[in-house]
Amino acid sequence: MQALVSELLPSLRATLVLAVVTCGAYPLLVTGVAQKVFKDKAGGSLIIDKDGAVRGSALLSQNFAAENFFHPRPSAAGGGHDAAGSGGSNLGPTSQKLHDALKERVAAYRRLNGLTNDAEVPADAVTASGSGLDPHISVSNALLQAARVARARGLGLERVKALISTHTTDPGLGLLGEPAVNVLALNLGLDTLAPASRP
Amino acid sequence: MHATDWLQFALYLGILTLITKPMGLYLMQVLDTNGRTWLDPVVKPVEKLTYRLLGVDPQREHGWKQYTFAMLAFSLVGVVFTYAILRLQHLLPWNPQTLPGLSHHLAFNTAVSFTTNTNWQSYGGEAAMSYFSQMVGLTFHNFVSAAVGIGIAAALVRGIARSSAKTLGNFWADLVRATYYLLLPICVVFALFLVSQGMIQNFDPYTQVKTLEGAEQVIAQGPMASQVAIKMLGTNGGGFMNTNAAHPFENPTPLSNFIQMLSIFSIGSGLTYYLGRMVKNQAHGWAVWAAMVALFLGSVLVCAHYEAVGNPIHQQLGIAAADGNLEGKEVRFGIFNSSLFATITTAASCGAVNSMHDSFTPLGGLVPLFMMELGEVVIGGVGAGLYGMLVFVVLAVFIAGLMVGRTPEYLGKKIQAKEVKLAMLTLLVLTLSILGFTAWACVSGWGVAGLNNSGPHGFSEMLYAYSSATGNNGSAFAGLTANTPWYNTTLGLAMLIGRFLMIVPIMALAGSLAGKQTVPPSAGTFPVNGATFTVLLIGTVLLIGALNFLPALALGPIVEHFLMGQGRLF
């Protein structure tokens, strides 16, 4: 016990000194350099429109329900795409709740995109992502939505497909991760191509 | 697995192999009080000043007891430090969202969690923690708990390497040098790299957004990159955000994902080289490393296989079978990088996640669970992986000795009753904590009330929680609602048991080995290098893990796998 007590004073001092270095000097140095060199990224890759309003982050999903937009993956973050409360469904493989939700989403996806009742649905279109903020969908998911979006916007299907391909990110270094389509970037592209008449 | 998956896996293992030796050589300098590094011109003056402020003499070495007492005293102060910050969060600066102080049980759980290098999180970062709490209360432990782990591993290795010695090194020197020369410099570069990939690093209030469809969205911000760098490198794993490395800010690109995965294993892998160098038997270091990597390889393949096969119940609904099990996973990582990350984070005692393990297929989820139950010795956490594996080495040598009928020796040290008892003690305590707490939760109202899933998967959620806490991992089957007084307290106790009832016997083991005289190897000495030893070590780890945990695993993931095949839902 004596030995333990005699180490308390150095422990207290070590806590204070190391806190100043690792929780003061270090994060402030990183913040300083990051704000200088990567200001946009360090601030959350925000998308700001010509009126100066923030419309989202290039890295985060937001909700799209209208027919004339591409739809992101289902989200379990808060009420959906809550960027201040990320979350997955955390439902397991034998969950009745997950099964029922998937069944409903598969039917809705087929209906919305004019698919037959036995058409295969891409998994990412109906499953909730890990973060609830997954900005991407798979290429096959985007292509299945293309006809609906083209019709709603009065655009040729080929133009929409071309837009998908310009917004498809390749795997890092041509090899890491999976090809993916950023939904927000794609929808922004759509708006530039053919501004939607919104209600 | 696709061809690109194999390529990524090969690339990962290739780079890990390449950095092992340079990391080990650098550790030789860092963990020597008089070691020399290229950072000396800048860091040496700060190091000297630190010793002066602490009032310690780095040249005065500690025996195993004093080293342990210093470690315990420092950890105790650390728990109190963070507990106070979390309780008083609302009075402290850098709290733009005016978040309230934490409840006493959540503050206890979190303070213990970060002090023990567990980083179990009963809270969601963006909803509960101010920037000050994240940056000071939590990041502090990300550094020092990692440095303490490295120090303990170094002390044990010194105990093995030295002959008839009384001392194992100086705790304060190990702590300060590992922090200043190893963790901090790498983190500065690593954090800036992460920002270059899109990770946030600011003190802004949360951003108000008007979405394209005209809805409101609030985007959480904060000084993330500086914390995430050490969270990965120090195998802490506590996410800045609730969903950890699945959050696009916290892991923006496949490249950031790859480097984060590499950083988890980098120090642990280098420590095996450090072991070989210190005991002057490099082949032994590589033999231990090979056993770790072989176990890792097999685990990744099992996990990735079952995640790629996916869930037959969901596929019957019309979901493309070729896509695998994507529930809880991110498109940019896909099946393979999610499975690989899940295996790495539990093989090491990291616990960061880039996908939700709760939604894995039963056998895909069994892999991370089993990795933790093996004691996180597959590369393992910084320091903790090596000292955990050396316990198995002692047992392997003991078993080999029994088989050939000789007194077991390990690198010239006789392994006697005392050493074997200490080694067994650590393993029994861990097993008892995992199974005992899980059993308690199973039969208690408070335990079952926290479940997000029912049936065998609900049992798996509890088993996972106590395996993670005891193993100081910190990942979760995150459906479990753990922020209750009972869960927070029992998980907190499991973390304390897993950390300190492991370290104290290991330090006693180190002290006992240091005191022994090294005898030269004879014809009857069982060699601790080469393929035979590696296979024996793998067998020991698997045998003990299987004997301890197969019954529990059978009640959870294994039975769920067969029920899933029959289409049963809960």
Side-chain angles (χ1 to χ4, degrees), chain A residues 26 55 73 86 89 134, chain B residues 126 210 226 327 329 331 560:
Chain A
Y26 159 69
R55 306 308 301 269
R73 300 181 63 187
S86 59
S89 76
D134 190 345
Chain B
E126 63 270 54
K210 189 162 174 252
S226 53
E327 180 72 25
K329 295 189 180 66
V331 167
E560 191 187 16

Side-chain angles (χ1 to χ4, degrees), chain A residues 35 39-47 54 56-57 60 83-85, chain B residues 94 96-97 99 125-127 129-131 134 198-209 218-225 227 240-241 247 249-250:
Chain A
Q35 287 289 341
K39 184 153 180 46
D40 172 55
K41 285 173 170 164
S45 310
L46 300 177
I47 294 168
V54 184
S57 162
L60 305 179
Chain B
W94 284 325
Q97 302 310 117
L99 295 162
E126 63 270 54
M129 290 289 166
S130 75
Y131 297 162
Q134 299 258 28
M199 193 174 291
I200 54 173
Q201 179 73 23
N202 61 59
F203 291 92
D204 304 341
Y206 292 6
T207 310
Q208 300 285 336
V209 170
V218 179
I219 297 179
Q221 299 280 2
M224 181 191 276
Q227 186 170 343
F240 194 89
M241 301 290 192
H247 195 294
F249 277 168
E250 205 154 336

Side-chain angles (χ1 to χ4, degrees), chain A residues 6-95:
Chain A
S6 70
E7 296 292 353
L8 279 176
L9 194 60
S11 296
L12 201 64
R13 289 171 171 164
T15 300
L16 295 177
V17 174
L18 291 174
V20 168
V21 176
T22 61
C23 314
Y26 159 69
L28 294 180
L29 171 73
V30 171
T31 310
V33 178
Q35 287 289 341
K36 264 240 145 32
V37 186
F38 308 108
K39 184 153 180 46
D40 172 55
K41 285 173 170 164
S45 310
L46 300 177
I47 294 168
I48 296 166
D49 66 13
K50 55 183 189 304
D51 306 325
V54 184
R55 306 308 301 269
S57 162
L59 292 178
L60 305 179
S61 70
Q62 48 181 250
N63 193 36
F64 287 103
E67 290 216 354
N68 56 14
F69 279 124
F70 283 90
H71 295 177
R73 300 181 63 187
S75 166
H81 308 277
D82 181 351
S86 59
S89 76
N90 285 308
L91 293 170
T94 53
S95 160

Side-chain angles (χ1 to χ4, degrees), chain B residues 477-493:
Chain B
F477 271 14
L480 188 77
T481 305
N483 188 15
T484 61
W486 276 101
Y487 266 117
N488 275 335
T489 309
T490 52
L491 288 165
L493 291 174

